[in-house]
Amino acid sequence: MTDDADVLLEAVLSVGRGLELEGTLHRVVQAAADMVDARYAALGIVGDDGQIAQFITVGLSEEEIQAIGPYPRGKGLLGELIRHPVPVRLPDLSADPRSVGFPANHPPMRSFLGVPLRVHGNPFGNLYLTDKRGEGEFTPEDQHLVEALASAASVAVENSRLYSEATLRERWAHGNDEISRRVLEGDPPELVLDAVAQEALQVAAADVAVLVTVSGDADGHLRVRSAHGPGTEGLVGTLVPVEGTFAAEAYTSGRPVVTPDAASDRRQTLSFNPPSVVGPLAALPLGGPGRTSGVLTVGRRLGTQAFPRVVIDALSAFASQAALALELAERRHDAERLAVVRDRDRIARDLHDLAIQRLYATGLSLEGVGRRLQDRPDAAADADRVTRAVTDLDETISLIRTTIRGLQPSTGAVRRVGLRARLVAEADAASRTLGFTPALHMAGPVDTLVPTTMADHLVAVLREALSNVARHAAARRVGVELVAGDDVVLTVSDDGRGIPADAPRSGLANLERRAAELDGTFSVERTRPGTTLRWRVPLNR
């Protein structure tokens, strides 16, 4: 009896060394195996769903564990101990009707001893011991020793759990401060979301962490914004479908999705590669039901402990902070856009009230000078120059007014002028500098097919093209053709002297740049006689 007491005391002392929960649980299993001379021992920790959430073994090598495959979840004899937490001692477990046999590559086992482990009177798990050395079976004394060890070990396990929870809360507070600092300092969303994923990885003691958000340019998908851990290389920027995944379920429902074993779950994992290494997994929505902007997913390797409630609470807090960061970023973007609109409105007002009025007054003064010069035969050339200057001022005023219309946002109450009418107006305006009206031809549903932004480009391109003809071509005829189909093609041709080799390219460069912005092309061809300009952009961009 004294020997048994010494063995038990030594086992209890070995279990009490250290405060890390994982280490304490391993010491409990090892102490139980050493105390009763068992070849194999295991501790099955029961999860909230009444199944084995973690399985800690002694006596099996890593290669044997890998060959056996997923750990047991609580069927057969192991499940019996979960449902009825009373000790079970058998000389041959394979002969018991409750046994369901062993999986492939499992070593043979004969004698069996199962003892429940309670913490604060609540079931925590079960100790399983098999194959007592010497081909014997476990004795009643062995059972009493293991029961006594389980009772004493419950204190050590509870202390380790409290220590682990305190450490986790400390990491939680540190991570919370770090994320809050980044949000309040206005860091870009990419940096904040990456910090959320990193802090979640540490607080949850996870092996992988992936954060996805709604993808504005890919309907029905979530885009990976941050990924850490093995198997996540190259995930950032990829798309995740909003169906068939843990992330998709959390996103759709707006509620956390937690599983102790993702590898055996019917749903896919979040592209973790290979998925078999992911066991416990938690997916937390960024935001609540109906306003979810993304999902934070963390996973642990296969065979490790499921995420406890306190970890899920911490991860939910991190997910809420990520949602707040995204919302603040959107609000800042809205404020910036509002500032731009206000600035454009101010510029438009200043152009109208100051620039146009001064140009108009200057034009009136020049008109008066031109009329007086026309009465002097020796100043005919000067009168022509003044007339051209007045015409240029009129064109400049027209250009500024068009720019003002582009700067001012539409109020919805103003009817939008169609593209056909705008092009006709441009052709009529150009007739004053050309000396004749260009021939204008349009084909296709121009007003219906051409979007507003492209229409603005077309008006500017036609204005620049007709202005170039008036200044350089000395043409007697100009043809303008606009065709709207799969592409929008604007062609301006004249019968003038052709574009000179040394002509300035600034205006043409602007036309080419406008085409490039819309994924289109621009070309100028010297013909006999004259020049042909062609501006083409696709409609289905």
Side-chain angles (χ1 to χ4, degrees):
M1 189 67 180
T2 303
D3 292 340
D4 289 344
D6 292 340
V7 170
L8 177 60
L9 178 61
E10 178 61 29
V12 172
L13 291 175
S14 67
V15 168
R17 297 188 184 105
L19 287 173
E20 292 291 341
L21 180 59
E22 193 79 13
T24 299
L25 297 177
H26 275 281
R27 285 191 293 273
V28 169
V29 182
Q30 187 65 62
D34 294 341
M35 193 168 56
V36 297
D37 205 20
R39 182 174 285 107
Y40 306 107
L43 172 60
I45 300 173
V46 181
D48 296 335
D49 58 355
Q51 295 183 317
I52 296 176
Q54 185 180 4
F55 203 67
I56 301 170
T57 61
V58 166
L60 293 173
S61 65
E62 286 296 327
E63 291 76 12
E64 289 176 313
I65 294 174
Q66 291 293 331
I68 293 172
Y71 60 80
R73 298 300 309 278
K75 296 181 179 179
L77 193 57
L78 303 188
E80 182 66 21
L81 267 170
I82 295 174
R83 292 185 293 272
H84 303 95
V86 294
V88 175
R89 183 166 48 87
L90 301 171
D92 185 0
L93 62 89
S94 61
D96 191 279
R98 295 168 294 184
S99 177
V100 294
F102 298 114
N105 303 316
H106 197 287
M109 297 179 180
R110 187 172 178 83
S111 54
F112 175 83
L113 174 60
V115 175
L117 177 64
R118 295 176 177 272
V119 173
H120 273 316
N122 299 317
F124 178 79
N126 296 290
L127 279 167
Y128 308 110
L129 301 111
T130 60
D131 267 20
K132 185 176 177 68
R133 289 185 172 86
E135 299 297 329
E137 61 180 273
F138 294 106
T139 64
E141 289 75 16
D142 293 335
Q143 178 178 328
H144 295 322
L145 284 173
V146 176
E147 289 179 16
L149 174 64
S151 178
S154 65
V155 178
V157 171
E158 179 62 15
N159 289 339
S160 296
R161 289 178 63 182
L162 293 175
Y163 174 77
S164 296
E165 185 170 325
T167 304
L168 184 146
R169 291 187 179 278
E170 183 178 352
R171 293 199 303 264
W172 179 0
H174 178 272
N176 188 65
D177 291 343
E178 175 66 17
I179 298 171
S180 298
R181 180 186 64 80
R182 289 179 176 271
V183 171
L184 293 176
E185 289 181 356
D187 282 4
E190 290 74 16
L191 296 181
V192 177
L193 296 179
D194 198 57
V196 168
Q198 289 181 336
E199 296 297 338
L201 191 73
Q202 296 179 13
V203 168
D207 295 290
V208 288
V210 175
L211 195 150
V212 298
T213 61
V214 177
S215 179
D217 56 351
D219 293 340
H221 287 79
L222 302 170
R223 186 176 298 278
V224 178
R225 302 287 293 275
S226 180
H228 297 274
T232 62
E233 296 81 4
L235 275 183
V236 175
T238 59
L239 297 177
V240 178
V242 188
E243 57 182 10
T245 66
F246 292 103
E249 183 170 333
Y251 173 76
T252 304
S253 66
R255 295 181 177 83
V257 176
V258 183
T259 177
D261 185 13
S264 61
D265 199 286
R266 60 179 176 81
R267 296 159 293 190
Q268 306 173 43
T269 57
L270 182 68
S271 302
F272 294 139
N273 186 26
S276 59
V277 303
V278 178
L281 185 139
L284 295 307
L286 277 56
R291 51 185 179 85
T292 306
S293 56
V295 179
L296 169 64
T297 306
V298 296
R300 289 175 175 172
R301 67 184 183 277
L302 196 63
T304 54
Q305 184 180 7
F307 293 110
R309 183 71 255 172
V310 65
V311 170
I312 301 301
D313 292 340
L315 295 177
S316 297
F318 287 166
S320 298
Q321 287 182 306
L324 176 61
L326 291 173
E327 185 171 353
L328 286 176
E330 182 64 25
R331 294 294 176 268
R332 290 192 188 102
H333 186 54
D334 290 342
E336 291 170 358
R337 285 185 295 185
L338 179 60
V340 170
V341 170
R342 287 175 174 171
D343 202 39
R344 291 171 64 178
D345 187 60
R346 177 189 60 78
I347 293 172
R349 185 175 61 251
D350 291 346
L351 284 174
H352 181 273
D353 295 344
L354 301 176
I356 287 183
Q357 301 307 322
R358 296 192 65 173
L359 287 172
Y360 188 69
T362 302
L364 290 177
S365 299
L366 287 174
E367 279 187 346
V369 173
R371 283 193 296 270
R372 289 194 295 272
L373 289 174
Q374 286 175 355
D375 297 334
R376 295 171 49 187
D378 59 335
D382 292 335
D384 289 340
R385 282 195 291 271
V386 170
T387 301
R388 286 197 298 270
V390 171
T391 301
D392 289 342
L393 284 174
D394 287 340
E395 291 182 0
T396 303
I397 291 173
S398 177
L399 175 62
I400 293 176
R401 288 180 190 227
T402 302
T403 303
I404 290 174
R405 287 196 297 270
L407 286 173
Q408 292 174 333
S410 174
T411 60
V414 179
R415 185 175 63 87
R416 175 176 170 269
V417 179
L419 177 58
R420 286 179 179 270
R422 295 176 67 184
L423 295 181
V424 170
E426 289 296 328
D428 289 341
S431 64
R432 295 196 298 269
T433 54
L434 289 169
F436 57 88
T437 302
L440 179 60
H441 173 71
M442 287 178 272
V446 174
D447 288 338
T448 304
L449 285 182
V450 180
T452 304
T453 302
M454 189 180 295
D456 293 339
H457 282 288
L458 280 166
V459 172
V461 169
L462 179 59
R463 182 184 303 128
E464 178 69 23
L466 294 177
S467 177
N468 286 340
V469 173
R471 288 197 302 265
H472 307 298
R476 292 175 296 177
R477 184 186 63 81
V478 177
V480 177
E481 182 182 49
L482 177 67
V483 178
D486 292 337
D487 295 341
V488 173
V489 183
L490 175 66
T491 304
V492 180
S493 57
D494 66 76
D495 62 352
R497 57 187 171 216
I499 182 170
D502 59 347
R505 311 292 295 183
S506 58
L508 298 179
N510 288 336
L511 303 187
E512 187 173 8
R513 191 179 306 113
R514 288 180 182 275
E517 287 180 12
L518 300 176
D519 300 331
T521 59
F522 168 74
S523 63
V524 178
E525 180 184 358
R526 186 165 185 172
T527 57
R528 293 186 181 275
T531 304
T532 298
L533 176 151
R534 185 168 286 104
W535 195 84
R536 178 193 300 268
V537 294
L539 262 178
N540 57 347
R541 61 186 297 272

